[in-house]
Amino acid sequence: MKEFAMYLGTICFVVSIVCFVLAYKKKKKKEKINKLLMVGIGCFAIAAVLATVFKDPIPESITINNIEMYKDDQTEITIKVTPEDADTDDINCSIDDETIAHLSGNEITALQEGQTTYGCSYKDDDNEITSNQATINVKLTDDQIAQIEKEKEEKAKQEEERKKVEQQKEEESKNTLSSYEQAFAKDYAIECVKSALKAPSTAEFPGGFLTPYQDWNMSKSNNLVTVSSYVDAENSFGAMLRSPFTIQMKIDGDTWSVTYFEFDGEVVQGTYQ
């Protein structure tokens, strides 16, 4: 009955439009248009009455169900309304946490394992009807669980390899002088030696611009740097003498400290390691 009424209403509306168009044309020709206008108005009124009488009622209540699904699956929201013939076109739904599941229209796509809630509502100028809150529970299949465990194992192996590489680099750094450490050790040794000289301003150390570490012996073992070389400097009598020296320095983070200093055959500080 409702479908027939809506069909009849559509025909009446079309007939009314045709009558109005024909009446307009006849008016321009100054012909009588009373009958056409009466038919047009009558058909239009019938169409309006049918549309009003047989319009879908608004929902009085909206009910939705809890949903369980697996990751990457898709499903349609099932919406129950009362009365059953109520209009559902203007019912909108939303999900609280769209990192768990995504909603497009009434279709839900499960994104990741977890649980969230969703709800639906109908709203017009005079009414606002909301549904109950329902849950969306996203689970993992056995294959997905196995894949996640596999990825965790691979990540753990990569992390273990990374740590091994870092430890290896750290051990190597304890026993290998970097270019910065080499330059710093030389400058530090020069300052130490100058502090033991009678005339430090006359000191001449080996190594030039092109060969800065010529006659400088340096080594590093477990962050202990050993530097050996010589210095030419004036003694108390103004005579230029060559004096060998050996210095050991301990590196602790960014801090360097002298643990042993031997100058010209005499121990000035500490014990050689």
Side-chain angles (χ1 to χ4, degrees), residues 39-69:
V39 172
I41 293 171
C43 288
F44 187 82
I46 292 172
V49 169
L50 290 173
T52 303
V53 171
F54 290 96
K55 179 183 177 182
D56 288 337
I58 65 171
E60 295 176 3
S61 68
I62 304 171
T63 305
I64 54 177
N65 299 321
N66 295 334
I67 298 174
E68 282 198 356
M69 55 197 305

Side-chain angles (χ1 to χ4, degrees), residues 187-199:
D187 292 340
Y188 199 3
I190 288 173
E191 292 301 317
C192 290
V193 170
K194 283 185 175 181
S195 67
L197 295 174
K198 299 292 184 181

